[in-house]
C-alpha cells in the first residue's frame, strides 16, 4: 500500500465551526442591515437582483446574498449556479478568514494583503466592503470595532443604540 | 504580518536595451508580432528604432497599428484584435505610454481568449489562463504600466472606464531604453515623473505596504528626486532619462504589489470628469492628500525625507518635523516645475476644473477601489474639502 495514502492533512474543526457560525450570523446581519440609513444608501447603489457570494476556499463555507426590493435576502447556495452570481469575495483559506472574523485585521487589510480574491466588479466590491464595515459598527463593541475600522463613525448615541438593538433583534428572531 | 509580492516581468534596461527586442521575441518562440503604438511615437521617429531592431531577425513584424487615441477605447481594442487575427500574429509589442500599453493589454485579452467582448473580462481575476507573449517598451516615465497587473480601458457606450485586474496582464518582458524617452517634452516629463513619485509614495504609506514594495518605493523616490529637475532642464541627458525610466518601473513594481490610495482615488475622478492629464492631477493632489493622511501615517511620511532630500538634511531634521518637511519639499519641487514648465500646482491653474464639479468628483471617488487602500477613510465631505484646498 502506498504510504502516502496514510498521510492526511488535518482540518481545523473548531475554526470551521466558528466560521460557519459567523457566516450564518453575518447572513442574518446583512438581511437586517437596511435598518440603517447609511447602509440603505449603499444598497440603493447596487442593481436589483445583484448577488454576491462570501466564500472561504477549501472550507466549504459560503454565504450568498441577493438584493431584492432594496434589501438583502439570503439565497440557498444549492439553488444558485456560480455563473449567476455577480461577485465573489473569496477568502483564500481558513486562516485568512479566521483573522478577519476574529477581528484581528480588517477586511480592507486582508484585501490589501491579497488574502481575499475578488472575482467581479471592483466598484460593487467597495460597496459591499463599506456595508460590512458599517455592520461591524453595530455588531461589535466599540473597542473591538475600532481595531478593524479606519475611522469610527460619529453617530448619535441613541440612534446607534436603537439600530443596534433592532439589528440584533432581527438576527435572533430571523426576520 | 502577511504579504504577497509578484513580479515575473523580465526587465531589459539601459543603453541599447532595444536591440534585445527580437531576441526576446525569439526566446518566447514568436514568429510574427503585432506592434501597437501611437501617432506621436511614429512622428517623433521612435518607431524607426523599434523597426530597425528587427534587422535580420527570425521574427517578422505582422503589422503596425499607430492610431491609439489618448484614452484607450474598447472599439479600438476590438479593431486591433481583428488585425492581429487577420495577419496571423502570435505576439504583441506595445510601444508607448499608459494608453498604448493598456490598449495592448486589452488586445491581448481578446486574442488570447478568442473573444470580441472585452466587457466579459472586466473586473478582478476574471482571466483564467496565461495570455499571448507580450513585450512592452515604455516611452514615458510615469505610468509603470509595463510592470502592473492593471489595465484601464474606456467604454464610450456607457461613458465609463473598465478596470481589468489580473496577474496574467503582466507582460513577459519590459524594455527600458533611454532613447525611447529622449523626445518626451519637458512638460510631460515633469507630469509623468510626478505620477511615478505619487505611485512610490502611496505604495509606501498605504495599507498594502510591505517590506519588498517599500524597498522599490525608496529607490524610486531617490532616483526621481535626484534626476527630475535636471532632466526637465536638460531633456537630452540620457543617463538622467534612464534613471527616471527605471524609477517609474520601480514605482510601478511597488504599487502593483501594494496599490495606491487617495491621491489616485481623487485623481482618477478628476481625470474622468474634467479631462485633465493624470500626472498633472497627481502633482496637484499629492501634498494635500499627504496632509490629510498625516495624522494616521505621519511616521511613514517622515521616513520618506531620506530618499527625497538625502542624509545630510535628514539627520539634522528632528523626527517629529520630518513629515512636514516631506510635504514642504514636494511643494518646493512643484514650484520648480511650475517655474520651468508651468506644471499646474492648483486645480484652478489647469483651467479645466470648476468648483461646481466637486460633488460629482467626490461621489465618483467613493466608488474607486483605490480608496480601500488609503490609511485614512474618506467620505464625500472629506474629499470636497481636499478639492477646495487644492483649487
Amino acid at each position: 500500500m502506498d504510504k502516502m495514502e496514510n498521510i492526511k492533512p488535518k482540518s481545523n474543526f473548531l475554526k470551521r465551526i466558528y466560521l460557519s457560525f459567523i457566516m450564518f450570523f453575518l447572513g442574518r446581519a446583512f438581511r437586517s442591515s437596511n435598518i440603517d440609513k447609511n447602509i440603505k444608501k449603499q444598497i440603493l447603489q447596487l442593481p436589483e437582483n445583484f448577488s454576491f457570494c462570501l466564500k472561504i476556499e477549501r472550507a466549504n463555507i459560503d454565504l450568498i446574498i441577493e438584493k431584492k426590493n432594496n434589501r438583502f435576502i439570503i439565497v440557498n447556495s444549492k439553488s444558485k449556479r456560480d455563473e449567476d452570481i455577480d461577485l465573489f469575495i473569496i477568502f483564500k483559506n481558513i486562516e485568512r478568514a479566521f483573522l478577519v472574523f476574529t477581528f484581528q485585521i480588517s477586511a480592507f487589510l486582508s484585501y490589501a494583503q491579497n488574502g481575499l480574491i475578488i472575482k467581479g466588479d471592483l466598484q460593487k466590491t467597495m460597496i459591499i466592503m463599506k456595508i460590512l464595515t458599517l455592520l461591524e459598527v453595530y455588531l461589535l463593541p466599540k473597542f473591538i470595532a475600532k481595531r478593524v475600522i479606519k475611522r469610527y463613525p460619529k453617530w448619535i448615541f441613541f440612534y446607534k443604540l436603537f439600530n443596534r438593538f433592532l439589528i440584533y433583534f432581527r438576527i435572533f428572531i430571523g426576520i | 504580518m502577511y504579504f504577497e509580492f509578484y513580479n515575473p516581468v523580465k526587465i531589459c534596461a539601459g543603453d541599447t536595451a532595444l536591440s534585445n527586442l527580437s531576441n526576446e521575441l525569439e526566446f518566447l518562440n514568436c514568429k510574427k508580432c503585432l506592434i501597437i503604438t501611437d501617432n506621436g511615437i511614429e512622428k517623433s521617429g521612435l518607431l524607426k528604432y523599434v523597426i530597425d531592431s528587427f534587422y535580420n531577425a527570425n521574427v517578422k513584424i505582422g503589422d503596425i497599428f499607430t492610431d491609439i487615441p489618448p484614452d484607450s477605447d474598447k472599439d479600438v481594442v476590438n479593431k486591433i484584435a481583428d488585425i492581429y487575427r487577420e495577419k496571423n500574429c502570435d505576439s504583441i509589442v506595445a510601444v508607448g505610454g499608459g494608453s498604448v500599453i493598456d490598449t495592448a493589454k486589452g488586445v491581448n485579452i481578446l486574442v488570447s481568449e478568442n473573444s470580441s467582448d472585452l466587457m466579459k473580462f472586466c473586473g478582478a481575476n476574471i482571466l483564467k489562463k496565461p495570455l499571448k507573449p507580450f513585450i512592452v517598451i515604455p516611452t514615458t516615465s510615469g505610468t509603470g504600466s509595463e510592470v502592473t497587473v492593471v489595465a484601464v480601458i474606456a467604454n464610450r457606450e456607457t461613458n465609463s472606464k473598465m478596470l481589468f485586474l489580473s496577474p496574467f496582464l503582466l507582460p513577459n518582458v519590459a524594455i527600458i531604453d533611454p532613447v525611447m524617452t529622449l523626445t518626451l517634452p519637458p512638460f510631460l516629463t515633469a507630469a509623468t515623473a510626478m505620477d511615478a513619485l505619487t505611485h512610490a509614495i502611496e505604495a509606501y504609506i498605504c495599507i498594502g505596504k510591505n517590506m519588498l514594495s517599500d524597498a522599490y518605493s525608496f529607490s524610486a523616490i531617490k532616483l526621481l528626486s535626484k534626476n527630475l529637475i535636471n532632466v526637465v532642464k536638460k531633456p537630452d541627458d540620457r543617463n538622467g532619462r534612464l534613471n527616471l525610466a527605471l524609477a517609474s518601473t520601480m514605482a510601478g513594481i511597488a504599487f502593483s504589489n501594494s496599490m495606491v490610495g487617495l491621491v489616485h482615488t481623487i485623481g482618477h475622478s478628476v481625470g474622468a470628469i474634467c479631462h485633465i492629464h493624470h500626472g498633472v492631477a497627481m502633482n496637484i493632489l499629492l501634498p494635500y492628500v499627504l496632509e490629510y493622511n498625516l495624522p494616521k501615517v505621519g511616521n511613514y511620511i517622515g521616513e520618506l525625507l531620506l530618499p527625497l532630500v538625502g542624509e545630510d538634511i535628514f539627520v539634522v531634521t528632528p523626527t517629529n518635523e520630518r513629515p512636514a518637511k516631506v510635504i514642504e519639499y514636494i511643494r518646493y519641487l512643484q514650484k520648480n516645475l511650475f517655474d520651468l514648465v508651468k506644471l499646474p500646482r492648483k486645480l484652478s491653474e489647469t483651467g479645466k476644473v470648476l468648483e461646481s464639479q466637486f460633488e460629482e468628483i467626490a461621489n465618483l471617488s467613493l466608488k474607486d477601489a483605490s480608496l480601500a487602500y488609503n490609511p485614512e477613510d474618506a467620505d464625500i465631505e472629506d474629499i470636497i474639502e481636499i478639492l477646495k484646498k487644492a483649487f
Side-chain angles (χ1 to χ4, degrees):
Chain A
M1 196 174 117
D2 186 354
K3 75 173 185 186
M4 293 307 286
E5 281 179 18
N6 294 326
I7 301 173
K8 291 204 168 70
K10 213 174 83 183
S11 82
N12 196 321
F13 183 69
L14 286 177
K15 281 183 181 170
R16 283 185 52 169
I17 294 284
Y18 173 77
L19 289 169
S20 300
F21 170 73
I22 285 284
M23 283 294 220
F24 170 78
F25 188 80
L26 201 59
R28 288 190 165 194
F30 267 106
R31 201 164 59 178
S32 322
S33 62
N34 64 331
I35 286 169
D36 174 70
K37 62 172 191 266
N38 301 295
I39 297 179
K40 205 167 186 174
K41 219 159 84 182
Q42 299 293 331
I43 297 173
L44 286 174
Q45 293 185 53
L46 297 168
E48 189 65 11
N49 299 323
F50 172 81
S51 59
F52 68 94
C53 174
L54 272 176
K55 187 175 175 182
I56 303 170
E57 201 78 305
R58 297 197 301 277
N60 291 331
I61 302 171
D62 58 14
L63 168 68
I64 303 172
I65 304 277
E66 191 169 318
K67 181 187 164 182
K68 282 255 189 261
N69 301 321
N70 290 330
R71 57 172 295 189
F72 286 132
I73 58 162
I74 302 168
V75 178
N76 186 329
S77 54
K78 286 183 185 118
S79 69
K80 203 148 178 104
R81 293 180 310 160
D82 279 6
E83 306 85 84
D84 299 329
I85 297 171
D86 300 301
L87 171 70
F88 280 90
I89 300 174
I90 305 166
F91 289 91
K92 272 186 180 170
N93 52 55
I94 210 160
E95 297 303 330
R96 302 304 303 169
F98 194 72
L99 281 173
V100 172
F101 291 125
T102 48
F103 315 106
Q104 296 177 63
I105 65 169
S106 67
F108 282 118
L109 184 58
S110 189
Y111 173 54
Q113 291 177 337
N114 291 313
L116 290 176
I117 302 169
I118 308 291
K119 287 184 184 171
D121 188 313
L122 283 167
Q123 284 193 357
K124 296 191 178 77
T125 309
M126 288 305 105
I127 295 172
I128 302 300
M129 302 271 264
K130 184 91 185 160
I131 294 171
L132 185 63
T133 306
L134 291 167
L135 272 175
E136 282 173 331
V137 177
Y138 285 119
L139 300 176
L140 301 173
K142 191 173 177 180
F143 74 97
I144 296 178
K146 278 179 96 171
R147 280 169 35 185
V148 291
I149 293 169
K150 287 182 192 171
R151 186 169 57 189
Y152 199 84
K154 289 175 186 156
W155 290 341
I156 298 161
F157 178 74
F158 286 106
Y159 172 79
K160 190 174 79 179
L161 198 70
F162 182 67
N163 279 351
R164 178 178 280 173
F165 170 77
L166 276 183
I167 288 175
Y168 267 108
F169 179 75
R170 287 177 64 174
I171 287 171
F172 287 118
I173 299 296
I175 52 169
Chain B
M1 169 67 176
Y2 173 83
F3 69 86
E4 291 177 8
F5 190 92
Y6 184 65
N7 178 45
V9 182
K10 179 175 178 180
I11 295 164
C12 305
D15 289 321
T16 70
L18 191 59
S19 58
N20 291 317
L21 175 58
S22 50
N23 301 67
E24 293 302 329
L25 284 165
E26 282 170 28
F27 289 149
L28 293 164
N29 287 324
C30 306
K31 299 274 177 256
K32 200 196 260 187
C33 71
L34 173 70
I35 296 177
I36 301 174
T37 188
D38 63 33
N39 283 318
I41 306 291
E42 190 183 19
K43 280 179 194 150
S44 65
L46 292 177
L47 186 60
K48 196 178 164 303
Y49 295 130
V50 178
I51 296 169
D52 290 348
S53 74
F54 281 86
Y55 177 72
N56 257 350
N58 292 325
V59 187
K60 301 283 166 244
I61 299 173
D63 206 341
I64 301 173
F65 188 90
T66 58
D67 290 330
I68 306 274
D71 245 357
S72 300
D73 174 341
K74 105 178 156 66
D75 297 333
V76 179
V77 171
N78 266 316
K79 197 169 151 190
I80 304 171
D82 288 342
I83 295 171
Y84 180 99
R85 293 183 191 111
E86 197 182 299
K87 300 284 168 120
N88 286 320
C89 295
D90 58 10
S91 51
I92 298 168
V93 175
V95 186
S99 180
V100 169
I101 300 171
D102 283 3
T103 305
K105 285 178 177 175
V107 173
N108 205 5
I109 294 173
L110 289 188
V111 297
S112 305
E113 295 285 343
N114 203 13
S115 170
S116 55
D117 184 8
L118 203 54
M119 281 289 279
K120 258 173 45 187
F121 307 97
C122 179
N125 296 301
I126 307 288
L127 297 169
K128 297 277 182 283
K129 58 180 172 74
L131 308 183
K132 301 280 182 194
F134 178 35
I135 296 186
V136 171
I137 306 167
T139 58
T140 62
S141 302
T143 66
S145 198
E146 67 278 12
V147 283
T148 66
V149 295
V150 185
V152 181
I153 295 166
N155 184 349
R156 306 251 180 260
E157 285 162 25
T158 56
N159 203 20
S160 64
K161 294 216 169 183
M162 298 185 289
L163 180 70
F164 302 83
L165 204 151
S166 166
F168 295 126
L169 290 176
L170 283 165
N172 302 80
V173 182
I175 294 179
I176 321 286
D177 193 319
V179 79
M180 299 305 284
T181 55
L182 273 178
T183 55
L184 190 67
F187 179 87
L188 284 177
T189 302
T192 53
M194 288 309 284
D195 183 21
L197 183 68
T198 310
H199 290 154
I201 291 178
E202 291 215 289
Y204 194 84
I205 65 165
C206 286
I207 63 171
K209 77 190 249 84
N210 61 69
M211 280 175 267
L212 294 182
S213 67
D214 283 357
Y216 279 96
S217 290
F218 235 68
S219 300
I221 294 169
K222 198 172 167 183
L223 279 179
L224 283 161
S225 178
K226 270 192 176 167
N227 293 280
L228 175 54
I229 299 295
N230 288 343
V231 173
V232 172
K233 280 182 185 164
K234 281 196 257 169
D236 53 354
D237 173 4
R238 281 175 85 104
N239 200 39
R241 286 284 189 189
L242 176 62
N243 285 337
L244 283 190
L246 285 174
S248 163
T249 301
M250 284 192 278
I253 294 171
F255 94 80
S256 190
N257 284 282
S258 59
M259 295 296 161
V260 285
L262 192 57
V263 187
H264 276 79
T265 309
I266 306 175
H268 290 154
S269 309
V270 173
I273 293 167
C274 310
H275 307 288
I276 68 171
H277 186 277
H278 179 68
V280 173
M282 296 297 101
N283 178 59
I284 296 167
L285 294 164
L286 180 60
Y288 298 101
V289 175
L290 285 179
E291 279 170 349
Y292 180 78
N293 282 326
L294 212 51
K296 270 275 170 83
V297 285
N299 53 337
Y300 296 147
I301 296 172
E303 287 168 14
L304 295 177
L305 191 64
L306 180 60
L308 275 172
V309 300
E311 59 265 30
D312 290 347
I313 298 176
F314 181 78
V315 291
V316 297
T317 310
T319 311
N320 62 336
E321 289 175 20
R322 285 172 188 163
K325 202 91 179 168
V326 166
I327 298 169
E328 194 186 312
Y329 178 77
I330 290 167
R331 292 222 158 94
Y332 162 78
L333 207 58
Q334 285 183 322
K335 188 192 170 300
N336 276 333
L337 293 174
F338 182 79
D339 293 343
L340 285 166
V341 292
K342 293 279 171 289
L343 187 70
R345 295 158 297 176
K346 290 272 184 183
L347 291 171
S348 54
E349 287 172 359
T350 64
K352 292 179 176 176
V353 185
L354 302 169
E355 273 186 273
S356 56
Q357 293 171 308
F358 286 178
E359 199 172 328
E360 192 188 351
I361 294 168
N363 269 316
L364 189 60
S365 300
L366 292 178
K367 293 178 191 162
D368 197 290
S370 58
L371 184 57
Y373 300 100
N374 198 61
E376 179 60 284
D377 202 3
D379 55 28
I380 192 158
E381 289 83 16
D382 297 321
I383 296 172
I384 290 176
E385 197 54 40
I386 292 169
L387 288 167
K388 277 181 183 165
K389 284 182 185 167
F391 191 67

